[in-house]
């Protein structure tokens, strides 16, 4: 796949909202990259302005999550960093500053990952149009510098991230990403094409904390699938002598014991 241009601006004949569709913020998460490439082949923007953005071109080319730094932690107003990702984030923040809405397409590095939406309460109306069964909130508190967190700081702007399933199945998950792009564009009145909005009931999960790995002697008591409810009191993981126990109505997300020390081993969510 050859991508010729990494920021594509499409202007409709009528005035309307300005929105952005991001993919490849993490370069190995290809569902969104494939979907944006396909959508661009024949999309007609009727109203407003749409930016299609391949967010981290170098990482996309190399098929890696990041080159120097996690781009999704670089969207900070006072960012003065020198890495490729810092520079890119500064460039992309200028685009986001013009936008009323953002759709940011990601994928999970965990096998069998369930697709889910990341957004805050003010974007629930947007989140419910997607064919995704779980909506999770609270990420802004624990993960500073993400694209959606940056958008959420501005009054009136809405943003959703969609985790389109396992990154190792990007060809298959492209369909969900593609449908989501069209639903998103229709929501803002940017296209004529009719796409049905999802009517499925969504479960709302509040993300409450990120647990970092402290030692190399870290392991989970069993294989965990994202968002599967835990029993209160159940032991989730051990980190040397320390044990992590589930609280009431909790679940875990992005469980990964092979992370480096100091990195996130898992996220704890709570069923609302
Ligand atoms: Zn990602």
């Amino acid at each position: 796949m050859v991508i010729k241009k990494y920021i594509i601006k499409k202007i409709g004949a009528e005035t309307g909202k300005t929105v952005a569709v991001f993919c490849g913020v993490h370069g190995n998460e290809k569902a969104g990259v494939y979907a944006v490439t396909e959508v661009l082949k024949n999309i007609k923007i009727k109203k407003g302005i749409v930016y299609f953005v391949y967010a981290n071109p170098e990482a996309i080319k190399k098929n890696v999550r990041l080159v120097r730094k996690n781009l999704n932690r670089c969207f900070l107003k006072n960012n003065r960093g020198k890495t490729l990702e810092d520079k890119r984030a500064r460039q992309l923040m200028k685009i986001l500053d013009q936008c009323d809405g953002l759709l940011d397409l990601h994928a999970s590095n965990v096998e069998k990952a369930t697709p889910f939406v990341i957004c805050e309460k003010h974007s629930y109306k947007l989140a419910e149009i997607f064919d995704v069964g779980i909506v999770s909130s609270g990420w802004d508190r624990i993960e500073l510098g993400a694209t959606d967190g940056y958008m959420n700081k501005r009054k009136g702007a809405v943003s959703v991230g969609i985790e389109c399933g396992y990154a190792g199945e990007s060809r298959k998950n492209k369909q969900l990403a593609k449908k989501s792009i069209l639903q998103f564009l229709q929501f803002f009145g940017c296209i004529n094409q009719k796409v049905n909005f999802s009517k499925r009931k969504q479960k709302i999960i509040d993300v409450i904390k990120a647990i970092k790995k402290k030692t190399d002697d870290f392991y989970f008591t069993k294989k965990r699938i994202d968002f599967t409810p835990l029993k209160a009191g159940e032991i989730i993981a051990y980190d040397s002598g320390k044990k992590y126990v589930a609280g009431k109505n909790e679940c875990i997300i992005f469980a990964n014991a092979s992370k480096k020390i100091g990195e996130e081993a898992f996220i704890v969510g709570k069923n609302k």
Side-chain angles (χ1 to χ4, degrees):
M1 182 182 53
V2 182
I3 301 166
K4 290 196 183 109
K5 216 172 155 200
Y6 293 94
I7 297 175
I8 298 99
K9 183 181 182 180
K10 297 249 180 201
I11 307 171
E14 298 168 46
T15 52
K17 301 282 187 191
T18 299
V19 300
V21 177
F22 276 22
C23 64
V25 165
H26 297 129
N28 63 327
E29 299 171 8
K30 287 288 194 298
V33 173
Y34 297 146
V36 165
T37 306
E38 269 196 35
V39 166
L40 278 170
K41 280 183 193 158
N42 49 21
I43 193 81
K44 295 243 174 344
I45 302 302
K46 173 186 77 156
K47 226 178 186 179
I49 297 171
V50 183
Y51 287 97
F52 291 94
V53 175
Y54 296 93
N56 194 339
E58 278 309 300
I60 294 170
K61 273 186 238 164
K62 294 184 169 129
N63 199 30
V64 290
R65 182 174 173 81
L66 53 92
V67 179
R68 290 281 310 282
K69 222 169 157 178
N70 182 354
L71 176 60
N72 216 22
R73 300 290 175 273
C74 296
F75 288 81
L76 299 161
K77 265 223 148 67
N78 55 359
N79 181 331
R80 291 191 177 76
K82 300 233 165 17
T83 70
L84 181 139
E85 275 91 359
D86 290 305
K87 287 178 196 158
R88 185 64 167 169
R90 288 198 287 273
Q91 188 184 8
L92 299 183
M93 281 189 277
K94 286 188 193 139
I95 291 178
L96 293 181
D97 288 342
Q98 306 162 37
C99 289
D100 302 293
L102 166 70
L103 170 65
D104 186 10
L105 297 161
H106 286 257
S108 169
N109 296 308
V110 181
E111 273 179 60
K112 297 200 180 101
T114 320
F116 67 98
V117 173
I118 291 175
C119 75
E120 296 308 312
K121 209 170 183 168
H122 67 277
S123 301
Y124 281 177
K125 272 268 159 295
L126 170 59
E128 70 185 22
I129 70 168
F130 301 111
D131 196 13
V132 176
I134 295 170
V135 174
S136 69
S137 304
W139 295 89
D140 291 3
R141 284 194 308 269
I142 60 168
E143 297 191 332
L144 292 177
T147 55
D148 44 332
Y150 181 79
M151 282 293 280
N152 292 339
K153 290 205 170 70
R154 190 152 39 83
K155 225 179 151 48
V158 290
S159 70
V160 296
I162 301 185
E163 294 283 341
C164 301
Y166 177 42
E169 292 175 349
S170 295
R171 290 270 172 213
K172 188 180 103 198
N173 299 336
K174 169 187 80 180
Q175 294 308 334
L176 171 64
K178 197 175 159 187
K179 192 172 169 194
S180 302
I181 295 171
L182 298 176
Q183 287 165 325
F184 174 78
L185 295 178
Q186 195 185 312
F187 181 87
F188 286 97
C190 303
I191 51 173
N192 260 337
Q193 203 176 334
K194 271 268 166 278
V195 205
N196 289 334
F197 289 161
S198 173
K199 288 193 178 70
R200 79 194 265 183
K201 203 159 164 40
Q202 292 172 323
K203 192 153 106 178
I204 296 192
I205 304 277
D206 226 347
V207 165
I208 51 176
K209 59 188 165 193
I211 304 295
K212 288 185 175 154
K213 189 167 154 178
K214 294 196 176 74
T215 72
D216 270 328
D217 188 20
F218 180 102
Y219 63 96
F220 289 101
T221 50
K222 61 176 176 187
K223 203 166 164 54
R224 302 290 183 178
I225 294 174
D226 285 352
F227 300 107
T228 309
L230 301 165
K231 287 192 199 89
E234 185 181 345
I235 297 169
I236 302 169
Y238 287 97
D239 196 348
S240 277
K242 187 167 173 53
K243 67 178 174 195
Y244 291 98
V245 180
K248 212 176 155 202
N249 296 325
E250 287 184 356
C251 60
I252 63 172
I253 315 156
F254 296 149
N256 187 346
S258 57
K259 286 278 182 80
K260 290 185 193 127
I261 291 174
E263 288 183 347
E264 253 168 48
F266 65 100
I267 306 272
V268 180
K270 210 173 177 71
N271 248 304
K272 269 198 155 173

